[in-house]
Amino acid sequence: MAAEIESLEKLLGDKLPASELKEVKRILYGKELRELKLPEELVLDAEGKNVDLAGYVFEAAPEETRSPRVVRIGAIQNKIVLPTTASIIEQRSALHANVGDMIRMAGESGVNIVCLQEAWNMPFAFCTREKLPWTQFAESAERGPSTAFLSELAKRYNMVIISPILERDEDIDDVIWNTAVVISNSGSVIGKTRKNHIPRVGDFNEATYYMEGNTGHPVFQTQFGKIGVNICYGRHHPLNWLMFGINGAEIVFNPSATVGALSEPMWPVEARCAAIANSYFSVAINRVGTEVFPNEFTSGDGKPSHKDFGHFYGSSYVAAPDGSRSPGLSRVRDGLLIAEVDLNLCRQVKDKWGFQMTRRLPLYAESLTKAAQLDYQPQLVKEN
């Protein structure tokens, strides 16, 4: 099997002369973004730890009646640290240490809101169908060890942290959910949101562990802006993205865990389309690396039984409401992507394109209400 490529960006940079590369970036990314100047000591620190550290600036036009609303967003992607055969406590502790160090880098870079990848504090064991030992990673959203760990960091760095975990609802029957916990820069838990759409494709056997979420599409008012969290498979559902926009989101994070053989052609498109259609910033975050499990498992696509899920290809990026996007992070390394954005761009794009004024919500609501009925007949016109 050929080695995984580092990134599309590196391939293009290695092969194209500077003049052509500039034009390619304009075509691929909408425009070439200005690189964000980061502290030299942090750049060297990241290089020494093999962390792909990158930063970009999304600017808005100056306005007479509003001051700029500049926010720094961080996206962290990471491999697991220890093999899946290590103890639960050791695996979780190693991930706390590794991700905590990247959160430190984000804090020292002035990041205001950082989001971690889906199920960041464990291997993505939902392919295996095995309940034990993996359900031991589940923890309380409000009182669990990962929330306690991140709450201290959020307060230390004055940073909102989004922590997607396997949640154990200790207050209601020990039910398990796929949940993102939103931790305020004060260190307190603002709230949580649960994954709305559960995949049933290939090795994704997640319905073995949890069902569709019951929290709707909450938007969290933070000191640094209004944020939503569209967990993983929800990015394939345009109405899921739409509802966060209707509820006022200015930034929607998409913490994910997806593999190259399945979804990579869709990855650069979906979060970017959502940012355009809904006039907000979107942040697509994917875990990275190959995770091998002790026992073989089968999948829904007829492949022979196997012990790994495939390669999680990273490539985390930020997209803006004007259609521009950042380059992606590495496909093979841990990474921290920082985007300095001016939230004024959200309204400016709404004024320019008028998507919110020209959409037809009552028409859609009427049609969807009909479509939800068991006896629905599609509005299909045939030739006589």
Side-chain angles (χ1 to χ4, degrees), residues 297-372:
F297 51 88
T298 57
S299 62
D301 54 13
K303 292 179 181 177
S305 58
H306 44 283
K307 289 189 174 184
D308 72 80
F309 205 14
H311 177 67
F312 296 103
Y313 53 83
S315 306
S316 303
Y317 69 94
V318 175
D322 64 358
S324 62
R325 57 152 286 187
S326 75
L329 288 178
S330 170
R331 295 181 71 260
V332 295
R333 294 189 288 146
D334 287 2
L336 167 60
L337 176 63
I338 301 171
E340 183 175 282
V341 308
D342 186 343
L343 296 179
N344 281 354
L345 186 61
C346 298
R347 184 196 287 179
Q348 291 176 10
V349 170
K350 289 177 183 178
D351 288 350
K352 178 178 180 179
W353 284 99
F355 294 151
Q356 282 64 32
M357 289 191 293
T358 56
R359 68 189 177 194
R360 302 284 302 281
L361 292 183
L363 174 62
Y364 305 151
E366 179 184 354
S367 299
L368 288 169
T369 300
K370 293 176 181 177

Side-chain angles (χ1 to χ4, degrees), residues 33 59 79 167 251 303 342 360:
L33 299 172
E59 296 173 308
K79 301 177 184 177
E167 179 196 3
I251 310 166
K303 292 179 181 177
D342 186 343
R360 302 284 302 281

Side-chain angles (χ1 to χ4, degrees), residues 158-178:
N158 191 34
M159 179 195 302
V160 174
I161 300 179
I162 301 165
S163 171
I165 62 168
L166 187 64
E167 179 196 3
R168 171 83 66 187
D169 192 342
E170 296 175 342
D171 298 324
I172 304 179
D173 292 331
D174 278 338
V175 173
I176 293 176
W177 303 93
N178 186 318

